[in-house]
mmCIF file with all atom_site columns, all heavy atoms in Angstrom:
data_model
loop_
_atom_site.group_PDB
_atom_site.id
_atom_site.type_symbol
_atom_site.label_atom_id
_atom_site.label_alt_id
_atom_site.label_comp_id
_atom_site.label_asym_id
_atom_site.label_entity_id
_atom_site.label_seq_id
_atom_site.pdbx_PDB_ins_code
_atom_site.Cartn_x
_atom_site.Cartn_y
_atom_site.Cartn_z
_atom_site.occupancy
_atom_site.B_iso_or_equiv
_atom_site.pdbx_formal_charge
_atom_site.auth_seq_id
_atom_site.auth_comp_id
_atom_site.auth_asym_id
_atom_site.auth_atom_id
_atom_site.pdbx_PDB_model_num
ATOM   1   N  N   . GLU A 1 43  ? 9.650  -1.372  8.219  1.00 0.00 ? 49  GLU A N   1
ATOM   2   C  CA  . GLU A 1 43  ? 8.256  -1.209  7.766  1.00 0.00 ? 49  GLU A CA  1
ATOM   3   C  C   . GLU A 1 43  ? 7.289  -1.229  8.944  1.00 0.00 ? 49  GLU A C   1
ATOM   4   O  O   . GLU A 1 43  ? 6.332  -0.447  8.985  1.00 0.00 ? 49  GLU A O   1
ATOM   5   C  CB  . GLU A 1 43  ? 7.897  -2.304  6.750  1.00 0.00 ? 49  GLU A CB  1
ATOM   6   C  CG  . GLU A 1 43  ? 8.593  -2.091  5.421  1.00 0.00 ? 49  GLU A CG  1
ATOM   7   C  CD  . GLU A 1 43  ? 8.273  -3.176  4.402  1.00 0.00 ? 49  GLU A CD  1
ATOM   8   O  OE1 . GLU A 1 43  ? 7.107  -3.574  4.293  1.00 0.00 ? 49  GLU A OE1 1
ATOM   9   O  OE2 . GLU A 1 43  ? 9.202  -3.629  3.718  1.00 0.00 ? 49  GLU A OE2 1
ATOM   10  N  N   . LYS A 1 47  ? 6.065  2.438   8.506  1.00 0.00 ? 53  LYS A N   1
ATOM   11  C  CA  . LYS A 1 47  ? 4.729  2.386   7.890  1.00 0.00 ? 53  LYS A CA  1
ATOM   12  C  C   . LYS A 1 47  ? 3.653  2.139   8.938  1.00 0.00 ? 53  LYS A C   1
ATOM   13  O  O   . LYS A 1 47  ? 2.513  2.554   8.776  1.00 0.00 ? 53  LYS A O   1
ATOM   14  C  CB  . LYS A 1 47  ? 4.692  1.307   6.806  1.00 0.00 ? 53  LYS A CB  1
ATOM   15  C  CG  . LYS A 1 47  ? 5.420  1.749   5.547  1.00 0.00 ? 53  LYS A CG  1
ATOM   16  C  CD  . LYS A 1 47  ? 5.738  0.631   4.597  1.00 0.00 ? 53  LYS A CD  1
ATOM   17  C  CE  . LYS A 1 47  ? 4.526  -0.139  4.176  1.00 0.00 ? 53  LYS A CE  1
ATOM   18  N  NZ  . LYS A 1 47  ? 4.861  -1.218  3.220  1.00 0.00 ? 53  LYS A NZ  1
ATOM   19  N  N   . PHE A 1 51  ? 0.916  4.781   8.455  1.00 0.00 ? 57  PHE A N   1
ATOM   20  C  CA  . PHE A 1 51  ? -0.242 4.227   7.735  1.00 0.00 ? 57  PHE A CA  1
ATOM   21  C  C   . PHE A 1 51  ? -1.031 3.194   8.539  1.00 0.00 ? 57  PHE A C   1
ATOM   22  O  O   . PHE A 1 51  ? -1.971 2.622   8.013  1.00 0.00 ? 57  PHE A O   1
ATOM   23  C  CB  . PHE A 1 51  ? 0.233  3.560   6.430  1.00 0.00 ? 57  PHE A CB  1
ATOM   24  C  CG  . PHE A 1 51  ? 1.027  4.466   5.541  1.00 0.00 ? 57  PHE A CG  1
ATOM   25  C  CD1 . PHE A 1 51  ? 2.404  4.316   5.414  1.00 0.00 ? 57  PHE A CD1 1
ATOM   26  C  CD2 . PHE A 1 51  ? 0.406  5.478   4.822  1.00 0.00 ? 57  PHE A CD2 1
ATOM   27  C  CE1 . PHE A 1 51  ? 3.149  5.147   4.587  1.00 0.00 ? 57  PHE A CE1 1
ATOM   28  C  CE2 . PHE A 1 51  ? 1.138  6.311   3.996  1.00 0.00 ? 57  PHE A CE2 1
ATOM   29  C  CZ  . PHE A 1 51  ? 2.511  6.150   3.883  1.00 0.00 ? 57  PHE A CZ  1
ATOM   30  N  N   . ASP A 1 52  ? -0.589 2.919   9.772  1.00 0.00 ? 58  ASP A N   1
ATOM   31  C  CA  . ASP A 1 52  ? -1.210 1.828   10.542 1.00 0.00 ? 58  ASP A CA  1
ATOM   32  C  C   . ASP A 1 52  ? -1.081 0.516   9.757  1.00 0.00 ? 58  ASP A C   1
ATOM   33  O  O   . ASP A 1 52  ? -2.025 -0.281  9.676  1.00 0.00 ? 58  ASP A O   1
ATOM   34  C  CB  . ASP A 1 52  ? -2.684 2.166   10.840 1.00 0.00 ? 58  ASP A CB  1
ATOM   35  C  CG  . ASP A 1 52  ? -3.263 1.249   11.906 1.00 0.00 ? 58  ASP A CG  1
ATOM   36  O  OD1 . ASP A 1 52  ? -2.483 0.559   12.589 1.00 0.00 ? 58  ASP A OD1 1
ATOM   37  O  OD2 . ASP A 1 52  ? -4.502 1.220   12.042 1.00 0.00 ? 58  ASP A OD2 1
ATOM   38  N  N   . CYS A 1 53  ? 0.089  0.333   9.162  1.00 0.00 ? 59  CYS A N   1
ATOM   39  C  CA  . CYS A 1 53  ? 0.362  -0.827  8.297  1.00 0.00 ? 59  CYS A CA  1
ATOM   40  C  C   . CYS A 1 53  ? 0.097  -2.136  9.024  1.00 0.00 ? 59  CYS A C   1
ATOM   41  O  O   . CYS A 1 53  ? 0.481  -2.309  10.168 1.00 0.00 ? 59  CYS A O   1
ATOM   42  C  CB  . CYS A 1 53  ? 1.822  -0.762  7.841  1.00 0.00 ? 59  CYS A CB  1
ATOM   43  S  SG  . CYS A 1 53  ? 2.407  -2.225  6.970  1.00 0.00 ? 59  CYS A SG  1
ATOM   44  N  N   . ARG A 1 54  ? -0.548 -3.083  8.329  1.00 0.00 ? 60  ARG A N   1
ATOM   45  C  CA  . ARG A 1 54  ? -0.842 -4.402  8.899  1.00 0.00 ? 60  ARG A CA  1
ATOM   46  C  C   . ARG A 1 54  ? 0.058  -5.490  8.324  1.00 0.00 ? 60  ARG A C   1
ATOM   47  O  O   . ARG A 1 54  ? -0.226 -6.674  8.475  1.00 0.00 ? 60  ARG A O   1
ATOM   48  C  CB  . ARG A 1 54  ? -2.315 -4.744  8.663  1.00 0.00 ? 60  ARG A CB  1
ATOM   49  C  CG  . ARG A 1 54  ? -3.300 -3.658  9.110  1.00 0.00 ? 60  ARG A CG  1
ATOM   50  C  CD  . ARG A 1 54  ? -3.251 -3.427  10.620 1.00 0.00 ? 60  ARG A CD  1
ATOM   51  N  NE  . ARG A 1 54  ? -3.925 -2.212  11.035 1.00 0.00 ? 60  ARG A NE  1
ATOM   52  C  CZ  . ARG A 1 54  ? -5.205 -2.137  11.412 1.00 0.00 ? 60  ARG A CZ  1
ATOM   53  N  NH1 . ARG A 1 54  ? -5.952 -3.203  11.391 1.00 0.00 ? 60  ARG A NH1 1
ATOM   54  N  NH2 . ARG A 1 54  ? -5.728 -1.002  11.808 1.00 0.00 ? 60  ARG A NH2 1
ATOM   55  N  N   . MET A 1 55  ? 1.130  -5.071  7.621  1.00 0.00 ? 61  MET A N   1
ATOM   56  C  CA  . MET A 1 55  ? 2.153  -5.987  7.117  1.00 0.00 ? 61  MET A CA  1
ATOM   57  C  C   . MET A 1 55  ? 1.581  -7.084  6.218  1.00 0.00 ? 61  MET A C   1
ATOM   58  O  O   . MET A 1 55  ? 1.867  -8.270  6.370  1.00 0.00 ? 61  MET A O   1
ATOM   59  C  CB  . MET A 1 55  ? 2.947  -6.607  8.285  1.00 0.00 ? 61  MET A CB  1
ATOM   60  C  CG  . MET A 1 55  ? 3.737  -5.599  9.092  1.00 0.00 ? 61  MET A CG  1
ATOM   61  S  SD  . MET A 1 55  ? 5.023  -4.725  8.128  1.00 0.00 ? 61  MET A SD  1
ATOM   62  C  CE  . MET A 1 55  ? 6.231  -6.010  7.827  1.00 0.00 ? 61  MET A CE  1
ATOM   63  N  N   . CYS A 1 56  ? 0.789  -6.659  5.248  1.00 0.00 ? 62  CYS A N   1
ATOM   64  C  CA  . CYS A 1 56  ? 0.202  -7.650  4.325  1.00 0.00 ? 62  CYS A CA  1
ATOM   65  C  C   . CYS A 1 56  ? 1.250  -8.190  3.355  1.00 0.00 ? 62  CYS A C   1
ATOM   66  O  O   . CYS A 1 56  ? 1.047  -9.233  2.744  1.00 0.00 ? 62  CYS A O   1
ATOM   67  C  CB  . CYS A 1 56  ? -0.975 -7.051  3.562  1.00 0.00 ? 62  CYS A CB  1
ATOM   68  S  SG  . CYS A 1 56  ? -0.515 -5.910  2.237  1.00 0.00 ? 62  CYS A SG  1
ATOM   69  N  N   . GLY A 1 57  ? 2.351  -7.474  3.191  1.00 0.00 ? 63  GLY A N   1
ATOM   70  C  CA  . GLY A 1 57  ? 3.420  -7.950  2.306  1.00 0.00 ? 63  GLY A CA  1
ATOM   71  C  C   . GLY A 1 57  ? 3.240  -7.585  0.846  1.00 0.00 ? 63  GLY A C   1
ATOM   72  O  O   . GLY A 1 57  ? 4.118  -7.832  0.026  1.00 0.00 ? 63  GLY A O   1
ATOM   73  N  N   . GLU A 1 58  ? 2.086  -7.029  0.499  1.00 0.00 ? 64  GLU A N   1
ATOM   74  C  CA  . GLU A 1 58  ? 1.836  -6.599  -0.884 1.00 0.00 ? 64  GLU A CA  1
ATOM   75  C  C   . GLU A 1 58  ? 1.296  -5.183  -0.831 1.00 0.00 ? 64  GLU A C   1
ATOM   76  O  O   . GLU A 1 58  ? 0.079  -4.976  -0.861 1.00 0.00 ? 64  GLU A O   1
ATOM   77  C  CB  . GLU A 1 58  ? 0.813  -7.502  -1.569 1.00 0.00 ? 64  GLU A CB  1
ATOM   78  C  CG  . GLU A 1 58  ? 1.321  -8.870  -1.906 1.00 0.00 ? 64  GLU A CG  1
ATOM   79  C  CD  . GLU A 1 58  ? 0.302  -9.651  -2.724 1.00 0.00 ? 64  GLU A CD  1
ATOM   80  O  OE1 . GLU A 1 58  ? -0.116 -9.172  -3.781 1.00 0.00 ? 64  GLU A OE1 1
ATOM   81  O  OE2 . GLU A 1 58  ? -0.086 -10.723 -2.264 1.00 0.00 ? 64  GLU A OE2 1
ATOM   82  N  N   . CYS A 1 59  ? 2.195  -4.234  -0.722 1.00 0.00 ? 65  CYS A N   1
ATOM   83  C  CA  . CYS A 1 59  ? 1.764  -2.859  -0.471 1.00 0.00 ? 65  CYS A CA  1
ATOM   84  C  C   . CYS A 1 59  ? 1.156  -2.219  -1.714 1.00 0.00 ? 65  CYS A C   1
ATOM   85  O  O   . CYS A 1 59  ? 1.716  -2.293  -2.802 1.00 0.00 ? 65  CYS A O   1
ATOM   86  C  CB  . CYS A 1 59  ? 2.934  -2.018  0.018  1.00 0.00 ? 65  CYS A CB  1
ATOM   87  S  SG  . CYS A 1 59  ? 2.359  -0.526  0.845  1.00 0.00 ? 65  CYS A SG  1
ATOM   88  N  N   . VAL A 1 60  ? 0.001  -1.614  -1.510 1.00 0.00 ? 66  VAL A N   1
ATOM   89  C  CA  . VAL A 1 60  ? -0.687 -0.959  -2.626 1.00 0.00 ? 66  VAL A CA  1
ATOM   90  C  C   . VAL A 1 60  ? -0.948 0.520   -2.315 1.00 0.00 ? 66  VAL A C   1
ATOM   91  O  O   . VAL A 1 60  ? -1.777 1.158   -2.961 1.00 0.00 ? 66  VAL A O   1
ATOM   92  C  CB  . VAL A 1 60  ? -2.026 -1.673  -2.963 1.00 0.00 ? 66  VAL A CB  1
ATOM   93  C  CG1 . VAL A 1 60  ? -1.774 -3.018  -3.635 1.00 0.00 ? 66  VAL A CG1 1
ATOM   94  C  CG2 . VAL A 1 60  ? -2.893 -1.863  -1.721 1.00 0.00 ? 66  VAL A CG2 1
ATOM   95  N  N   . LEU A 1 61  ? -0.207 1.032   -1.321 1.00 0.00 ? 67  LEU A N   1
ATOM   96  C  CA  . LEU A 1 61  ? -0.493 2.397   -0.856 1.00 0.00 ? 67  LEU A CA  1
ATOM   97  C  C   . LEU A 1 61  ? -0.537 3.420   -1.980 1.00 0.00 ? 67  LEU A C   1
ATOM   98  O  O   . LEU A 1 61  ? -1.395 4.302   -1.987 1.00 0.00 ? 67  LEU A O   1
ATOM   99  C  CB  . LEU A 1 61  ? 0.570  2.833   0.162  1.00 0.00 ? 67  LEU A CB  1
ATOM   100 C  CG  . LEU A 1 61  ? 0.407  2.306   1.587  1.00 0.00 ? 67  LEU A CG  1
ATOM   101 C  CD1 . LEU A 1 61  ? 1.659  2.616   2.389  1.00 0.00 ? 67  LEU A CD1 1
ATOM   102 C  CD2 . LEU A 1 61  ? -0.820 2.912   2.241  1.00 0.00 ? 67  LEU A CD2 1
ATOM   103 N  N   . CYS A 1 68  ? -4.107 2.789   3.740  1.00 0.00 ? 74  CYS A N   1
ATOM   104 C  CA  . CYS A 1 68  ? -3.942 1.331   3.768  1.00 0.00 ? 74  CYS A CA  1
ATOM   105 C  C   . CYS A 1 68  ? -5.300 0.629   3.742  1.00 0.00 ? 74  CYS A C   1
ATOM   106 O  O   . CYS A 1 68  ? -6.086 0.771   4.683  1.00 0.00 ? 74  CYS A O   1
ATOM   107 C  CB  . CYS A 1 68  ? -3.158 0.922   5.014  1.00 0.00 ? 74  CYS A CB  1
ATOM   108 S  SG  . CYS A 1 68  ? -3.079 -0.866  5.195  1.00 0.00 ? 74  CYS A SG  1
ATOM   109 N  N   . PRO A 1 69  ? -5.571 -0.165  2.701  1.00 0.00 ? 75  PRO A N   1
ATOM   110 C  CA  . PRO A 1 69  ? -6.872 -0.839  2.632  1.00 0.00 ? 75  PRO A CA  1
ATOM   111 C  C   . PRO A 1 69  ? -7.027 -1.916  3.695  1.00 0.00 ? 75  PRO A C   1
ATOM   112 O  O   . PRO A 1 69  ? -8.143 -2.333  3.991  1.00 0.00 ? 75  PRO A O   1
ATOM   113 C  CB  . PRO A 1 69  ? -6.888 -1.440  1.223  1.00 0.00 ? 75  PRO A CB  1
ATOM   114 C  CG  . PRO A 1 69  ? -5.457 -1.600  0.860  1.00 0.00 ? 75  PRO A CG  1
ATOM   115 C  CD  . PRO A 1 69  ? -4.714 -0.489  1.545  1.00 0.00 ? 75  PRO A CD  1
ATOM   116 N  N   . MET A 1 70  ? -5.896 -2.365  4.266  1.00 0.00 ? 76  MET A N   1
ATOM   117 C  CA  . MET A 1 70  ? -5.986 -3.420  5.280  1.00 0.00 ? 76  MET A CA  1
ATOM   118 C  C   . MET A 1 70  ? -6.491 -2.878  6.614  1.00 0.00 ? 76  MET A C   1
ATOM   119 O  O   . MET A 1 70  ? -6.759 -3.659  7.532  1.00 0.00 ? 76  MET A O   1
ATOM   120 C  CB  . MET A 1 70  ? -4.619 -4.112  5.442  1.00 0.00 ? 76  MET A CB  1
ATOM   121 C  CG  . MET A 1 70  ? -4.055 -4.676  4.149  1.00 0.00 ? 76  MET A CG  1
ATOM   122 S  SD  . MET A 1 70  ? -5.221 -5.737  3.258  1.00 0.00 ? 76  MET A SD  1
ATOM   123 C  CE  . MET A 1 70  ? -5.131 -7.217  4.256  1.00 0.00 ? 76  MET A CE  1
ATOM   124 N  N   . ARG A 1 77  ? -9.889 -4.429  -0.690 1.00 0.00 ? 83  ARG A N   1
ATOM   125 C  CA  . ARG A 1 77  ? -8.740 -3.907  -1.446 1.00 0.00 ? 83  ARG A CA  1
ATOM   126 C  C   . ARG A 1 77  ? -9.147 -3.354  -2.802 1.00 0.00 ? 83  ARG A C   1
ATOM   127 O  O   . ARG A 1 77  ? -8.315 -2.863  -3.551 1.00 0.00 ? 83  ARG A O   1
ATOM   128 C  CB  . ARG A 1 77  ? -7.668 -4.996  -1.615 1.00 0.00 ? 83  ARG A CB  1
ATOM   129 C  CG  . ARG A 1 77  ? -6.857 -5.196  -0.345 1.00 0.00 ? 83  ARG A CG  1
ATOM   130 C  CD  . ARG A 1 77  ? -5.953 -6.386  -0.422 1.00 0.00 ? 83  ARG A CD  1
ATOM   131 N  NE  . ARG A 1 77  ? -4.774 -6.229  -1.249 1.00 0.00 ? 83  ARG A NE  1
ATOM   132 C  CZ  . ARG A 1 77  ? -3.578 -5.831  -0.796 1.00 0.00 ? 83  ARG A CZ  1
ATOM   133 N  NH1 . ARG A 1 77  ? -3.411 -5.511  0.475  1.00 0.00 ? 83  ARG A NH1 1
ATOM   134 N  NH2 . ARG A 1 77  ? -2.551 -5.762  -1.613 1.00 0.00 ? 83  ARG A NH2 1
ATOM   135 N  N   . ALA A 1 133 ? 7.099  -5.925  2.325  1.00 0.00 ? 139 ALA A N   1
ATOM   136 C  CA  . ALA A 1 133 ? 6.476  -5.471  1.080  1.00 0.00 ? 139 ALA A CA  1
ATOM   137 C  C   . ALA A 1 133 ? 7.509  -4.815  0.170  1.00 0.00 ? 139 ALA A C   1
ATOM   138 O  O   . ALA A 1 133 ? 7.397  -4.886  -1.060 1.00 0.00 ? 139 ALA A O   1
ATOM   139 C  CB  . ALA A 1 133 ? 5.333  -4.508  1.390  1.00 0.00 ? 139 ALA A CB  1
HETATM 140 S  S1  . SF4 B 2 .   ? -1.100 -2.208  1.924  1.00 0.00 ? 213 SF4 B S1  1
HETATM 141 FE FE1 . SF4 B 2 .   ? -0.115 -3.858  3.145  1.00 0.00 ? 213 SF4 B FE1 1
HETATM 142 S  S2  . SF4 B 2 .   ? 2.071  -3.315  3.271  1.00 0.00 ? 213 SF4 B S2  1
HETATM 143 FE FE2 . SF4 B 2 .   ? 0.930  -1.462  2.551  1.00 0.00 ? 213 SF4 B FE2 1
HETATM 144 S  S3  . SF4 B 2 .   ? 0.527  -0.288  4.411  1.00 0.00 ? 213 SF4 B S3  1
HETATM 145 FE FE3 . SF4 B 2 .   ? -1.252 -1.628  4.084  1.00 0.00 ? 213 SF4 B FE3 1
HETATM 146 S  S4  . SF4 B 2 .   ? -0.835 -3.550  5.228  1.00 0.00 ? 213 SF4 B S4  1
HETATM 147 FE FE4 . SF4 B 2 .   ? 1.068  -2.373  5.049  1.00 0.00 ? 213 SF4 B FE4 1
#
Side-chain angles (χ1 to χ4, degrees):
E49 289 179 43
K53 285 165 57 179
F57 305 106
D58 194 14
C59 171
R60 308 296 166 92
M61 296 298 290
C62 75
E64 288 186 56
C65 199
V66 288
L67 281 170
C74 174
M76 304 308 284
R83 283 171 74 93

